[in-house]
Amino acid sequence: MMKRCILREKVYMTSSQEQFIKYVNNRFPNPTLTDKQIATLLGVHTQTIYRMRLRGQGPKFAKISRNCICLKQDFFDWFFSCYSKNECDTVEKKD
């Protein structure tokens, strides 16, 4: 689930998250993403997406015929949850 600051029942996102969502929506106008599009956004090979799916680490997907698709909202939820974990797990160097 995406980290959210709830204030008066409104959901607020950081400006970087909003910019990323706008970028994805402008680049890929369909409400779904293919494996190739997800790989392009993450800067990895499509095989990496396949491996992540096999391990249960990637975003939720639906298999339709031979194709696997992902709803954009599911991708954003997964991506921002990973993003927030990486920020929280940083360790300070001890001098």
Side-chain angles (χ1 to χ4, degrees), residues 25-40:
N25 287 331
N26 288 336
R27 183 149 184 204
F28 306 112
N30 290 338
T32 60
L33 296 169
T34 64
D35 290 338
K36 189 173 183 179
Q37 292 170 334
I38 292 172
T40 302

Side-chain angles (χ1 to χ4, degrees), residues 19-80:
Q19 289 173 352
F20 181 70
I21 290 172
K22 286 179 186 176
Y23 169 76
V24 172
N25 287 331
N26 288 336
R27 183 149 184 204
F28 306 112
N30 290 338
T32 60
L33 296 169
T34 64
D35 290 338
K36 189 173 183 179
Q37 292 170 334
I38 292 172
T40 302
L41 288 170
L42 298 177
V44 296
H45 197 272
T46 52
Q47 283 297 114
T48 306
I49 303 301
Y50 302 147
R51 280 190 222 110
M52 289 169 66
R53 186 178 304 122
L54 286 172
R55 295 178 187 149
Q57 296 173 340
K60 293 179 187 176
F61 71 95
K63 186 159 182 150
I64 299 175
S65 182
R66 292 181 170 182
N67 302 320
C68 291
I69 60 168
C70 174
L71 292 174
K72 278 186 188 175
Q73 189 58 49
D74 291 337
F75 172 75
F76 292 139
D77 290 344
W78 171 79
F79 181 78
F80 293 134

